[in-house]
């Protein structure tokens, strides 16, 4: 989410440059200190968001009631994008409820307590649209 936030304000950076800058900022540039599984997952998820951005945003927009996606805050929008990307990944075996709960917690941490409720409502509607509640249990 923080990498996507960085990309929002620095449109010159590529995904990999933003990811590397994030890890460098955390002083985790050396592969001996970095969790490679996490690094690969972050890279994969960023790629999924980028490749499916228009579809993801159309799903989020369909789930918004009386809102346009442009009105959604940057952080909330990025949380929604990442969560929907996880939903779309057929190889991802994470139950949809776990994805939703993580999104709520991130929204509460980086936004406001009310953001958690907002994100919860939108992501649940996307899950209904995608009909994933039956197979990502």
């Amino acid at each position: 989410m923080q990498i996507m936030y960085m990309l929002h304000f620095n449109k010159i950076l590529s995904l990999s440059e933003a990811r590397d800058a994030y890890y460098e900022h955390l002083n985790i540039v050396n592969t001996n200190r970095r969790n490679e599984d996490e690094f690969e997952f972050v890279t994969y998820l960023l790629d999924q968001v980028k490749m499916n951005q228009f579809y993801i945003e159309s799903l989020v927009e369909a789930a918004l009631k009386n809102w346009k996606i442009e009105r959604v805050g940057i952080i909330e929008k990025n949380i929604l994008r990442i969560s929907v990307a996880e939903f779309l990944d057929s190889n991802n075996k994470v139950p949809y409820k776990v994805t939703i709960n993580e999104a709520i917690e991130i929204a509460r941490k980086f936004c406001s307590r009310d953001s958690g409720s907002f994100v919860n409502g939108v992501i649940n509607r996307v899950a209904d649209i995608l009909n994933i509640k039956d197979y990502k249990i």
Side-chain angles (χ1 to χ4, degrees):
M1 196 264 316
Q2 292 165 309
I3 296 168
M4 292 177 58
Y5 186 80
M6 183 187 320
L7 286 167
H8 178 81
F9 290 103
N10 189 337
K11 302 203 185 309
I12 298 171
L13 289 177
S14 69
L15 285 176
S16 60
E17 289 170 329
R19 180 208 55 218
D20 292 347
Y22 173 76
Y23 277 91
E24 185 175 326
H25 174 73
L26 293 177
N27 294 317
I28 309 176
V29 290
N30 149 351
T31 55
N32 295 332
R33 294 187 52 217
R34 178 172 79 199
N35 178 326
E36 284 304 312
D37 290 338
E38 176 188 290
F39 186 79
E40 287 178 25
F41 180 71
V42 166
T43 301
Y44 176 75
L45 201 53
L46 288 169
D47 288 340
Q48 290 294 10
V49 170
K50 181 78 169 169
M51 287 187 317
N52 298 300
Q53 185 169 348
F54 294 112
Y55 182 52
I56 290 169
E57 289 186 3
S58 71
L59 288 167
V60 170
E61 187 121 34
L64 291 169
K65 293 195 176 184
N66 302 317
W67 279 72
K68 292 284 185 192
I69 198 161
E70 294 82 21
R71 291 183 59 199
V72 177
I74 297 163
I75 297 171
E76 290 93 337
K77 194 182 306 183
N78 285 330
I79 294 168
L80 293 169
R81 287 173 177 154
I82 292 168
S83 300
V84 175
E86 284 189 30
F87 285 167
L88 295 175
D89 180 6
S90 60
N91 295 320
N92 181 1
K93 303 300 181 207
V94 175
Y96 78 94
K97 288 181 181 180
V98 172
T99 299
I100 292 172
N101 286 334
E102 287 177 358
I104 293 166
E105 290 306 312
I106 292 168
R108 286 180 179 156
K109 180 177 181 178
F110 288 98
C111 304
S112 70
R113 190 146 188 86
D114 291 340
S115 292
S117 297
F118 173 75
V119 165
N120 181 22
V122 175
I123 293 177
N124 263 296
R125 283 194 288 277
V126 171
D128 288 336
I129 291 168
L130 293 172
N131 197 30
I132 63 164
K133 291 182 177 179
D134 293 333
Y135 69 90
K136 280 207 173 196
I137 298 174

